[in-house]
Amino acid sequence: MEESKAIVLFSGGQDSTTCLAWALERFAHVETIGFDYGQRHRVELEVRPQVLGAIRNQFPRWERKLGEDRVVDLSVFGQISDTALTRDVEIAMLANGLPNTFVPGRNLLFMIFAAAFAYRRGAQHLVTGVCETDYSGYPDCRDDTMKAMQIALNLGMDQRFVIHTPLMWIDKAETWSLAQTLGGAVLVDLIRDETQTCYNGNRVDQRDWGYGCGTCPACELRAKGYRQFVERDATPR
Ligand code: ZN
């Protein structure tokens, strides 16, 4: 039987790092792909290799399975997208109920590139950290969107890709708990100290839940989730 291969959409954040661990527990060979789309939190791209290096160092059982990492240049996306994630403007809520950090079509575009890459690499499984439980209302993170995307990709590329969304129905506290289940306190600490979620790319202020400005929506979600996790589930250190 052919070895199971997965491509993980890896941004260097908490969610995609947890998904990477999930994939490394499950599949025989795992590769990572990231996207440079002109995001203002560019520090994300810089922490990616650090997170991967820490995983290789601290988890020998995963190190054997973890293959190449790639960053795809989608800077062209910034030319047609005018949002708070790609421009230096204040993060705010829009009249349609979405924050101005919403980049229309971003996750759809990522899935197309990930699938085209998986096609070339002979990988059947695509893993993404999208979630509609504790999220900002981005419509391209929804379960139905991902299911429709799976069908579109399989029809359009004549493949049998499976899109996995391990975080879809869990909240941020449960995402920390999942990390603990997958890799114990070592993985929780690695994710807390190495990953980057902050929309403002703050890598200066280290807090009990990791680096971040502490006030942007991404930091607020991360801080709240970590506190709940510590109260409910964290193993004593
Ligand atoms: Zn922040």
Side-chain angles (χ1 to χ4, degrees):
M1 201 179 115
E2 207 185 326
E3 280 204 324
S4 62
K5 273 194 194 176
I7 306 295
V8 177
L9 287 86
F10 178 66
S11 72
Q14 175 192 353
D15 290 348
S16 64
T17 303
T18 307
C19 285
L20 176 58
W22 181 90
L24 286 163
E25 278 293 277
R26 183 162 301 234
F27 300 108
H29 183 76
V30 176
E31 296 184 17
T32 47
I33 189 167
F35 302 99
D36 180 353
Y37 58 96
Q39 56 267 60
R40 67 191 247 168
H41 45 310
R42 297 192 62 76
V43 66
E44 205 181 63
L45 293 171
E46 289 157 30
V47 306
R48 293 175 80 265
Q50 296 169 26
V51 174
L52 292 172
I55 286 177
R56 286 181 204 280
N57 282 336
Q58 296 180 44
F59 293 93
R61 72 178 190 274
W62 292 343
E63 203 266 336
R64 305 179 275 112
K65 299 174 163 190
L66 182 53
E68 259 185 83
D69 175 49
R70 269 170 202 79
V71 175
V72 176
D73 179 7
L74 291 182
S75 53
V76 65
F77 203 44
Q79 293 174 20
I80 52 162
S81 165
D82 185 17
T83 78
L85 276 199
T86 51
R87 297 276 182 279
D88 193 14
V89 296
E90 228 17 66
I91 294 170
M93 290 304 286
L94 302 176
N96 63 3
L98 286 170
N100 63 351
T101 49
F102 174 57
V103 183
R106 179 178 55 161
N107 286 309
L108 303 179
L109 192 71
F110 289 177
M111 292 313 296
I112 292 170
F113 274 83
F117 178 62
Y119 188 106
R120 199 180 90 204
R121 302 292 296 159
Q124 186 188 2
H125 302 278
L126 301 169
V127 184
T128 170
V130 293
C131 162
E132 72 167 82
T133 304
D134 217 4
Y135 75 147
S136 303
Y138 298 167
D140 57 347
C141 291
R142 291 185 296 205
D143 192 47
D144 283 353
T145 306
M146 284 299 137
K147 288 191 161 70
M149 198 67 199
Q150 178 173 302
I151 292 169
L153 293 171
N154 285 334
L155 287 173
M157 298 190 192
D158 195 20
Q159 292 291 299
R160 289 298 303 272
F161 293 124
V162 182
I163 297 179
H164 299 268
T165 56
L167 311 184
M168 184 59 78
W169 305 113
I170 64 176
D171 65 20
K172 289 287 172 201
E174 290 166 323
T175 301
W176 287 108
S177 299
L178 175 60
Q180 184 170 264
T181 305
L182 292 166
V186 175
L187 184 61
V188 170
D189 291 353
L190 185 160
I191 290 173
R192 185 193 60 201
D193 298 338
E194 302 287 348
T195 68
Q196 185 79 24
T197 310
C198 176
Y199 281 155
N200 292 314
N202 183 311
R203 197 72 182 163
V204 182
D205 299 311
Q206 190 168 21
R207 303 166 194 280
D208 58 354
W209 42 265
Y211 286 102
C213 72
T215 53
C216 76
C219 279
E220 281 176 3
L221 267 180
R222 177 165 167 149
K224 179 170 156 253
Y226 189 75
R227 283 197 193 105
Q228 284 174 349
F229 162 70
V230 167
E231 284 162 20
R232 297 200 305 229
D233 280 340
T235 51
R237 308 297 157 90

